[in-house]
């Protein structure tokens, strides 16, 4: 083993600043190795260690070029960085990591080979296997780039150390990826339950795919969506957990949580192996391009937890490209209450502008590790069958409601005086002054109250649902008085004068001919 240490003191040392098609990025000096492919001994290794310090105000991404010679069968990278104490209210150091191969670091290019964010301190890549979060495949000669993401930097800077180890020799046989089927055994046109925002050890979660699948079945789910942060590496490992099972078939959709510095978005149900880039901010005016890429790959564009308060989590790209929006994320919180109000405002805007298109709401668990419950909440969608296409069509149309768990079910309808009828996500085509009756039936919601919400606000609140958990409410209105009606099932208030936590809510039923 050859061990070579490079240092650049407390500065950035050898470097070049270049501007990508989006934000500025910093490229450090290249790391070269002394052995050529012809000289390499099978099983031989070379190691080099790079040290440096990133100053406060560093670009979003810093690239370390690595000149990989021929004959390499494994690339291994480990890193550490200092986390000095900082004053209260000041962000400390947090450094993410990933890698791009010899095909380059261009936005949306083919060079992406993996990302683990801050979840791991080391990774490896071989033709037959790779660390979760990374894509197995040949370690071809050329200039690879280790990608550093200084998420936050302390005022005194971020000292780091990166160790790169090359192992030489004949590579193993490349494994062809196998993906889960796009169809599971369903019940025909029916209501199907799903959780489309989950994390495993393929990003920053702590559960295996087998554990997630088992928890999904236990939560009564019919479908889930793979949504690892900034990587599609889990796609090729889901197949064995889908399909026939003693506890029921599970449809596994494939996607990604695209985690930018200005908010996160779910690519929901994209084609297998689809990678969506995340290296841009709202000011770069690039999100539309990647939203369209998600759709071309057959996926839905769903901004996640738009009012989350964690750094970089708040959604700042607008909703013009959204197919749906994640209004409820995990345990119901004030963030979700704000997101619900914001979404309701978007419904009012659609009505005011006379648009037929509107953005449906959904809810997901965003579960990462124990004790995060999978399927709490879950989106219940009316679909023609348990297939990728049918589930996506139901979500896109807004034929869905969000429930806290499998124990809660609702039926929400609107009917006119002449037998007209509409369900969740549909339009009841009646004249402005035609009497309309809306009705909600709920089970599994003892102690909750039912609320009907229109473009004017909350216009009806029921008494508490009895201990049996089964209750219903009915209210009459007209299309001239209410452009839409949506329903909420709320638990008793925790703070007097404020609405209680959500147990379930529906997408709207629109009233009127247009």
């Amino acid at each position: 083993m050859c061990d070579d240490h490079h240092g650049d003191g407390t500065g950035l040392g050898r470097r070049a600043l270049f501007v990508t098609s989006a934000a500025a990025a910093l490229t450090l000096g290249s790391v070269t190795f002394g052995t050529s492919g012809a000289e390499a001994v099978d099983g031989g290794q070379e190691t080099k260690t790079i040290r440096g310090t990133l100053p406060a105000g560093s670009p979003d991404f810093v690239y370390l070029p690595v000149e990989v010679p021929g004959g390499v069968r494994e690339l291994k990278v480990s890193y550490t960085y200092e986390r000095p104490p900082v004053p209260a209210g000041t962000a400390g150091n947090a450094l993410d990591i990933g890698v791009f191969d010899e095909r380059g670091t261009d936005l949306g290019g083919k060079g992406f080979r993996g990302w683990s964010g801050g979840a791991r301190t080391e990774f490896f890549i071989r033709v037959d296997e790779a660390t979760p979060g990374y894509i197995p495949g040949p370690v071809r000669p050329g200039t690879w780039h280790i990608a550093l993401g200084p998420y936050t930097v302390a005022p005194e800077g971020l000292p780091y150390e990166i160790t790169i180890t090359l192992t030489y020799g004949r590579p193993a046989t490349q494994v062809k990826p196998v993906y889960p089927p796009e169809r599971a055994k369903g019940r025909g046109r029916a209501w199907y339950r799903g959780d489309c925002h989950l994390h495993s050890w393929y990003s920053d979660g702590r559960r295996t795919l087998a554990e997630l699948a088992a928890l999904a079945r236990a939560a009564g789910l019919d479908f889930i969506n793979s949504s690892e942060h900034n990587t599609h590496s889990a796609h090729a490992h889901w197949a064995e957990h889908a399909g026939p099972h003693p506890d029921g078939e599970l449809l596994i959709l494939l996607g990604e949580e695209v985690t930018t510095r200005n908010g996160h978005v779910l690519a929901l149900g994209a084609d297998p192996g689809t990678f969506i880039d995340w290296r841009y901010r709202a000011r770069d005016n690039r999100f539309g391009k990647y939203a369209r890429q998600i759709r071309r790959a057959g996926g839905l564009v769903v901004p996640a937890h738009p009012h989350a308060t964690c750094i970089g989590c708040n959604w700042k790209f607008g909703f013009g490209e959204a197919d749906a929006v994640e209004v409820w994320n995990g345990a119901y919180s004030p963030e979700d209450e704000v997101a619900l109000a914001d979404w309701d405002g978007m419904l009012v805007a659609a009505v005011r502008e006379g648009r037929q298109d509107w953005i449906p709401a959904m809810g997901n668990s965003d579960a990462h590790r124990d004790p995060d419950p999978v399927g709490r909440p879950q989106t219940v969608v009316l679909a023609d069958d348990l297939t990728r296409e049918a589930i996506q069509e139901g979500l896109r149309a807004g034929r869905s409601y969000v429930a806290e768990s499998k124990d809660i079910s609702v039926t929400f309808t609107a009917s006119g005086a002449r037998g007209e009828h509409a369900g969740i996500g549909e339009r009841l085509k009646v004249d402005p002054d035609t009497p309309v009756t809306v009705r909600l039936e709920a089970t599994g919601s003892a102690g909750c109250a039912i609320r009907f919400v229109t473009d004017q606000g909350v216009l009806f609140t029921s008494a508490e649902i009895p201990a049996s958990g089964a209750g219903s409410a009915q209210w009459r209105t007209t299309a001239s008085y209410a452009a839409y009606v949506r329903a909420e099932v709320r638990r008793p208030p925790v703070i007097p004068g404020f609405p209680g936590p959500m147990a379930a809510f529906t997408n709207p039923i629109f009233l009127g001919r247009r």
Side-chain angles (χ1 to χ4, degrees):
M1 176 183 289
C2 173
D3 195 26
D4 187 9
H5 296 269
H6 293 267
D8 52 16
T10 57
L12 285 167
R14 301 167 298 158
R15 68 192 185 195
L17 182 66
F18 71 89
V19 177
T20 69
S21 57
L26 184 70
T27 298
L28 305 175
S30 296
V31 179
T32 59
F33 288 81
T35 302
S36 69
E39 300 168 341
V41 176
D42 187 42
Q45 291 185 329
E46 273 192 290
T47 296
K48 293 202 173 184
T49 298
I50 313 300
R51 298 184 183 92
T53 299
L54 299 176
S58 290
D60 286 348
F61 300 99
V62 176
Y63 297 103
L64 175 64
V66 179
E67 301 300 332
V68 175
V72 174
R73 74 181 183 200
E74 180 184 274
L75 167 73
K76 183 177 180 180
V77 176
S78 63
Y79 81 120
T80 61
Y81 61 93
E82 295 182 15
R83 298 174 175 84
V86 294
T90 301
N93 285 335
L95 183 63
D96 296 339
I97 196 167
V99 70
F100 291 78
D101 67 19
E102 84 289 348
R103 291 172 290 183
T105 62
D106 290 346
L107 280 177
K110 296 181 178 181
F112 175 77
R113 291 297 292 272
W115 183 257
S116 49
R120 287 183 169 80
T121 59
E122 63 181 28
F123 64 85
F124 74 88
I125 294 176
R126 296 196 304 263
V127 69
D128 60 327
E129 192 177 0
T131 299
Y134 293 80
I135 313 301
V139 183
R140 292 179 291 261
T143 303
W144 289 52
H145 289 83
I146 296 170
L148 301 176
Y151 189 61
T152 54
V153 180
E156 58 266 50
L158 194 160
Y160 64 87
E161 179 179 292
I162 303 171
T163 299
I164 307 156
T165 300
L166 303 182
T167 301
Y168 295 89
R170 184 182 298 276
T173 302
Q174 188 163 5
V175 178
K176 184 177 181 180
V178 178
Y179 300 111
E182 297 186 5
R183 172 183 296 272
K185 185 178 181 181
R187 305 179 297 277
R189 187 171 176 84
W191 292 92
Y192 295 98
R193 294 176 178 264
D195 187 348
C196 293
H197 190 167
L198 296 164
H199 296 280
S200 76
W201 64 356
Y202 282 87
S203 59
D204 63 342
R206 292 295 179 267
R207 288 167 170 149
T208 66
L209 302 189
E211 289 170 332
L212 277 184
L215 290 169
R217 289 183 167 97
L221 302 182
D222 300 293
F223 65 94
I224 59 175
N225 178 66
S226 178
S227 55
E228 309 295 357
H229 291 285
N230 295 345
T231 181
H232 58 288
S233 65
H235 289 192
H237 301 275
W238 270 114
E240 64 182 289
H241 307 293
H245 190 276
D247 295 327
E249 293 210 5
L250 188 64
L251 175 67
I252 298 176
L253 307 176
L254 302 177
E256 177 186 334
E257 183 175 9
V258 183
T259 307
T260 80
R261 297 299 179 90
N262 285 158
H264 303 181
V265 61
L266 301 176
L268 196 164
D271 292 338
T274 297
F275 164 66
I276 306 297
D277 216 319
W278 72 93
R279 293 171 294 160
Y280 44 86
R281 294 192 183 212
R283 66 190 182 208
D284 299 322
N285 198 28
R286 290 283 168 176
F287 175 67
K289 172 182 177 179
Y290 295 102
R292 290 188 292 273
Q293 182 186 351
I294 293 171
R295 291 197 190 91
R296 284 196 303 271
L300 302 183
V301 179
V302 183
H305 45 66
H307 290 279
T309 56
C310 48
I311 296 174
C313 295
N314 191 270
W315 185 250
K316 297 182 180 180
F317 292 94
F319 295 92
E321 295 285 354
D323 294 307
V325 59
E326 186 185 75
V327 167
W328 184 352
N329 175 280
Y332 198 78
S333 70
E335 295 173 6
D336 301 310
E337 196 68 47
V338 174
L340 182 76
D342 194 27
W343 169 66
D344 192 78
M346 289 189 277
L347 296 179
V348 173
V351 168
R352 181 181 66 245
E353 296 166 11
R355 303 199 317 266
Q356 295 298 310
D357 61 314
W358 56 282
I359 302 175
M362 67 182 307
N364 302 299
S365 72
D366 198 2
H368 281 69
R369 59 187 66 84
D370 292 338
D372 298 351
V374 171
R376 192 177 184 93
Q378 52 193 245
T379 299
V380 190
V381 57
L382 179 61
D384 289 335
D385 209 344
L386 188 53
T387 68
R388 169 189 172 188
E389 182 179 3
I391 292 295
Q392 289 178 315
E393 198 279 327
L395 291 171
R396 189 185 294 109
R399 296 195 305 267
S400 59
Y401 65 90
V402 183
E404 185 179 57
S405 72
K406 66 179 180 181
D407 298 325
I408 298 178
S409 297
V410 303
T411 302
F412 184 46
T413 59
S415 57
R418 297 182 179 179
E420 305 95 335
H421 182 274
I424 300 171
E426 298 177 340
R427 175 173 291 276
L428 184 69
K429 296 181 179 180
V430 293
D431 293 331
D433 297 323
T434 297
V436 172
T437 301
V438 295
R439 180 177 176 84
L440 183 124
E441 298 177 356
T443 60
S445 49
C448 296
I450 297 168
R451 309 202 314 176
F452 293 136
V453 186
T454 76
D455 52 316
Q456 188 177 168
V458 180
L459 294 182
F460 173 87
T461 302
S462 75
E464 284 190 4
I465 294 174
S468 66
S472 64
Q474 188 169 291
W475 179 64
R476 298 191 74 188
T477 187
T478 63
S480 62
Y481 189 62
Y484 63 83
V485 185
R486 59 180 184 84
E488 298 178 352
V489 182
R490 295 265 189 170
R491 300 200 178 281
V494 177
I495 302 174
F498 288 85
M502 193 74 72
F505 75 88
T506 73
N507 275 299
I509 299 174
F510 290 90
L511 307 180
R513 298 192 179 279
R514 54 177 300 171

